[in-house]
Amino acid sequence: MTNEEAIIDIRENIQPIVGGKSLDIAISAIEKQIPKKVKIVEKYFVVCPVCNFYIEDIDFISGKSHKYCDRCGQALDWSDRK
């Protein structure tokens, strides 16, 4: 089951019966694991698509880019930057 399928399953099958804030939190946690494309602001800076926190693209230094936002934990998709 993918993250997207898990979210649909919770929303359609569990949440209407059980309800509650804890399921909203679970859905939010699963959504953060689904990479979202970074927003390009400047040549070497991008922002998180969720919280707009500036993230330095360190790819040109170490060959690696941040996998998650340091502030909110959102998984990041750098595919447009490569």
Side-chain angles (χ1 to χ4, degrees):
M1 176 179 284
T2 66
N3 290 333
E4 291 88 351
E5 291 169 336
I7 292 168
I8 291 168
D9 188 44
I10 291 171
R11 285 193 175 134
E12 291 180 357
N13 300 318
I14 300 171
Q15 201 164 30
I17 297 167
V18 179
K21 187 81 170 160
S22 59
L23 289 176
D24 292 335
I25 293 169
I27 290 170
S28 294
I30 295 170
E31 286 175 337
K32 285 203 183 246
Q33 295 177 21
I34 301 169
K36 292 186 179 180
K37 293 188 183 291
V38 294
K39 297 179 190 175
I40 300 168
V41 176
E42 297 175 25
K43 185 175 182 180
Y44 297 112
F45 289 94
V46 296
V47 294
C48 172
V50 174
C51 71
N52 292 319
F53 183 69
Y54 274 89
I55 303 166
E56 184 176 355
D57 182 359
I58 58 172
D59 186 56
F60 67 94
I61 297 172
S62 68
K64 297 179 182 178
S65 295
H66 294 276
K67 292 183 180 182
Y68 299 92
C69 174
D70 290 334
R71 178 185 280 168
C72 74
Q74 174 63 49
L76 302 172
D77 176 359
W78 292 86
S79 61
D80 288 348
R81 269 306 256 176
K82 303 295 179 207

